[in-house]
Amino acid sequence: MKKWFLIPLLALPLVFLTWSYLHREPKTAVAQIKEVKKFVYASGYVEPEDFVLVKSEVSGIVEAVYVKEGDKVKKGQVLAKISAQELESSIKDLQARLSLVEERLREDSPYLRFLKEKVEASELQLRQAEREYERRRDLAERGLIPKEQLEKFKTTYEIHRREYEANLSQYRDAIRSLQAESKSLRAQIERLNAQREKYFIKSPINGVVLSKFVKEGSYINHLSQENVLFGVGDPNRLEVVLEIDEEYVGLIKEGQRVFLSIDAFPGQTFEGTIYSKEGQLDRTRKTLKVKVRANLPPNTPAFATVEGKVLVEERSALLVPKEAVKDGKVLRYERVRSVEVPVKLGGEYEGYVEVLEGLKEGDRVILR
């Protein structure tokens, strides 16, 4: 009798637990309208607003470097010099030739004086021959001398005239030739001087030398991608350069807010605004650069690494947890029962999914 009496007593807790499991309240969540934000993530660096990389237009060995990192420089200041010995030698040769030409062009130069004296001497002979010829012509017209004698004086006159004209032409041609040569030499010197200026590496802006990539004795190949000698900018005016992946470029616009974190200031977030967007992609990296103005701390180091979140969308949306949705449907909980409801979904937002159709605010859904 004892044995049969104990069996129902042991079975009662099992029946109660089974009934509780089958009728317990399911885990649910309420569909709520919340503010949602969509971000595009990007990485980049801090850069002075007026930052420039100083490159060389010519190849050669660096003869001298006149600045170091941290030096303040002015626009046009020489930062370094590349050796230009052959060019300078050519300029000296041209200048020596020009000096000789300029010396010959002086009116009292031995060269022009000699030519001028030839002209003057031949002019005196011409005038003498001309007078002799005119006297003989008068005599011939009066029949006092034969024509043969007149022709002799005429021939002498013509010889002296041609000689005078040749000497005068030689004198004038010499001046014109010297003037042309002087002009040509000056043009060559001016061209080579302009070329020599390229061997003086100058700062294109006022600023500070933020980086120096060259030292004396280095060889510079101006056609190389490594042709960068200095970085110059104003460290007091900083901006952030972010690189946006190609697939998100269409979402980026000027004026959008950006939230920045900088490795140099861990745990801090800074807000900025996109003010510039480049017009073409980097074909190698498949990214587009945008520039951001932000209120950065004054001690922010140039070229510090930056991570950015660009706010591309901000609006209200009806949200439910992602685990409430399965195969495009949710179980709407109605206290005593659950109803499977198809829903049209939008974007995902940090563990939540937007419901465009199928639910309303306040509906309770079962988490699965």
Side-chain angles (χ1 to χ4, degrees):
M1 293 295 296
K2 245 170 144 183
K3 188 174 179 182
W4 287 100
F5 179 74
L6 287 173
I7 290 175
L9 291 176
L10 293 171
L12 284 174
L14 294 174
V15 172
F16 176 76
L17 289 173
T18 301
W19 183 88
S20 298
Y21 177 78
L22 294 174
H23 293 83
R24 68 179 178 175
E25 184 95 358
K27 190 175 181 181
T28 62
V30 176
Q32 294 179 312
I33 293 179
K34 294 183 178 182
E35 291 294 318
V36 295
K37 297 179 180 180
K38 186 174 181 179
F39 295 94
V40 169
Y41 292 84
S43 60
Y45 50 89
V46 176
E47 180 180 82
E49 281 194 25
D50 296 325
F51 179 74
V52 291
L53 291 173
V54 182
K55 300 182 180 182
S56 175
E57 297 182 64
V58 294
S59 300
I61 296 175
V62 178
E63 185 177 288
V65 178
Y66 303 112
V67 295
K68 61 183 183 300
E69 290 177 347
D71 285 353
K72 290 184 178 181
V73 294
K74 294 182 178 180
K75 182 178 180 179
Q77 180 176 335
V78 178
L79 308 179
K81 182 180 183 298
I82 295 177
S83 178
Q85 291 182 355
E86 292 185 6
L87 188 61
E88 290 173 349
S89 178
S90 297
I91 292 173
K92 287 181 180 179
D93 289 343
L94 290 172
Q95 288 174 333
R97 288 172 56 189
L98 178 61
S99 296
L100 178 61
V101 170
E102 295 293 334
E103 171 62 26
R104 286 189 168 188
L105 265 174
R106 288 192 303 108
E107 287 188 9
D108 60 345
S109 70
Y111 176 69
L112 285 187
R113 190 167 61 245
F114 169 74
L115 295 178
K116 191 174 183 180
E117 287 174 353
K118 284 181 63 177
V119 173
E120 291 173 347
S122 61
E123 185 179 16
L124 288 175
Q125 291 178 335
L126 172 62
R127 298 301 171 230
Q128 179 66 30
E130 185 179 18
R131 286 193 294 271
E132 292 290 338
Y133 170 61
E134 288 178 349
R135 281 199 300 268
R136 295 305 185 278
R137 187 173 58 188
D138 289 340
L139 293 174
E141 288 176 354
R142 287 184 288 171
L144 300 176
I145 61 171
K147 289 185 178 181
E148 292 80 3
Q149 190 177 359
L150 176 63
E151 289 298 324
K152 179 181 177 181
F153 281 93
K154 182 179 180 181
T155 301
T156 301
Y157 165 73
E158 291 293 339
I159 291 173
H160 285 298
R161 183 178 62 80
R162 287 193 294 270
E163 183 178 355
Y164 167 73
E165 290 175 351
N167 289 335
L168 182 61
S169 179
Q170 183 184 16
Y171 176 72
R172 290 173 174 172
D173 287 347
I175 292 177
R176 281 194 294 266
S177 177
L178 289 172
Q179 289 173 337
E181 187 175 3
S182 173
K183 183 178 180 180
S184 174
L185 289 171
R186 288 180 182 278
Q188 291 180 63
I189 292 172
E190 184 177 352
R191 179 177 57 82
L192 292 184
N193 278 332
Q195 183 70 13
R196 183 174 61 175
E197 282 298 304
K198 297 179 181 179
Y199 288 78
F200 293 91
I201 309 303
K202 300 177 181 180
S203 175
I205 61 171
N206 296 326
V208 175
V209 179
L210 299 175
S211 50
K212 179 171 75 72
F213 307 101
V214 68
K215 60 183 180 179
E216 292 182 6
S218 301
Y219 178 79
I220 302 299
N221 180 355
H222 77 285
L223 298 177
S224 169
Q225 292 183 347
E226 298 177 356
N227 173 25
V228 178
L229 282 66
F230 302 94
V232 180
D234 183 355
N236 297 318
R237 299 176 57 204
L238 299 175
E239 64 186 4
V240 173
V241 179
L242 294 178
E243 295 184 346
I244 308 294
D245 288 341
E246 181 178 5
E247 59 184 306
Y248 302 117
V249 166
L251 301 175
I252 303 301
K253 301 175 183 178
E254 293 182 7
Q256 288 175 329
R257 296 163 64 196
V258 185
F259 300 90
L260 308 166
S261 58
I262 303 174
D263 288 357
F265 304 100
Q268 298 185 52
T269 301
F270 308 94
E271 185 173 337
T273 304
I274 294 177
Y275 80 92
S276 175
K277 176 180 174 182
E278 286 192 350
Q280 63 181 19
L281 289 167
D282 184 315
R283 296 177 62 185
T284 302
R285 299 171 63 87
K286 300 297 183 183
T287 58
L288 182 77
K289 286 184 178 180
V290 298
K291 292 187 176 181
V292 178
R293 284 200 178 99
N295 293 322
L296 302 178
N299 58 334
T300 303
F303 310 113
T305 302
V306 176
E307 297 295 327
K309 297 193 303 181
V310 183
L311 181 60
V312 296
E313 184 180 17
E314 185 176 18
R315 59 186 176 82
S316 297
L318 182 65
L319 303 179
V320 296
K322 286 177 63 176
E323 55 264 38
V325 182
K326 185 177 181 181
D327 298 329
K329 298 176 182 178
V330 298
L331 291 175
R332 187 173 63 208
Y333 183 60
E334 299 179 352
R335 302 296 295 174
V336 295
R337 66 181 183 133
S338 61
V339 179
E340 190 174 62
V341 178
V343 290
K344 182 179 179 181
L345 304 177
E348 294 184 8
Y349 303 92
E350 298 181 352
Y352 289 83
V353 62
E354 180 183 8
V355 178
L356 301 175
E357 294 178 6
L359 292 177
K360 63 181 183 299
E361 184 180 11
D363 284 348
R364 186 175 291 274
V365 293
I366 296 176
L367 303 182
R368 297 187 276 184

